[in-house]
């Protein structure tokens, strides 16, 4: 079984994750406080920016194809290489622009 090192750049925490397990499941096992909610790749609560490395996340339905290249949903993402992730970072499509209020739900 191939394992990869996953480093969370903002906290300096590092874990080892097998290619057969999700990053979130390993975080929970190691006691790392990774945000999550739905655990099915839709809510984006567990989003992290990929600073370095590659993941596979075919069930990450909450991202566009381009976003899935730059961000990981840790509940779905499995490492393909050693990784550096910045937790709590969301793609621009779901974050309001600086100085702009978030759109209201109608």
């Amino acid at each position: 079984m191939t394992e990869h090192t996953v480093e969370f750049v903002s906290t300096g925490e590092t874990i080892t994750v097998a290619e057969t397990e999700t990053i979130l499941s390993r975080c929970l096992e190691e006691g790392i406080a990774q945000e999550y909610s739905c655990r099915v790749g839709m809510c984006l609560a567990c989003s992290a920016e990929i600073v370095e490395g590659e993941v596979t996340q075919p069930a990450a339905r909450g991202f566009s194809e381009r976003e899935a290249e730059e961000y990981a949903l840790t509940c779905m993402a499995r490492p393909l290489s050693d990784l550096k992730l910045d937790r709590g970072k969301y793609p621009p499509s779901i974050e309001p622009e600086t100085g702009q209020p978030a759109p209201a739900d109608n």
Side-chain angles (χ1 to χ4, degrees):
M1 168 174 28
T2 304
E3 294 184 331
H4 299 287
T5 300
V6 177
E7 177 187 345
F8 298 102
V9 297
S10 60
T11 64
E13 295 167 301
T14 302
I15 56 175
T16 301
V17 183
E19 286 185 348
T20 57
E21 65 185 336
T22 66
I23 296 164
L24 176 62
S25 66
R26 193 57 163 162
C27 284
L28 296 175
E29 289 174 12
E30 295 291 328
I32 292 177
Q34 170 63 41
E35 275 192 56
Y36 69 95
S37 185
C38 73
R39 295 184 77 164
V40 295
M42 293 297 295
C43 74
L44 308 180
C46 67
S47 182
E49 183 176 11
I50 301 170
V51 176
E52 188 176 293
E54 292 183 68
V55 300
T56 182
Q57 52 186 349
R61 297 176 297 254
F63 286 151
S64 69
E65 193 173 309
R66 181 167 185 216
E67 290 170 341
E69 294 173 7
E70 299 174 8
Y71 294 87
L73 289 177
T74 61
C75 71
M76 295 282 111
R78 298 170 192 273
L80 294 176
S81 67
D82 288 349
L83 291 171
K84 290 185 179 183
L85 299 177
D86 196 0
R87 289 194 309 225
K89 299 293 181 169
Y90 304 94
S93 66
I94 65 167
E95 283 194 346
E97 292 182 31
T98 305
Q100 300 295 319
D105 289 15
N106 292 326

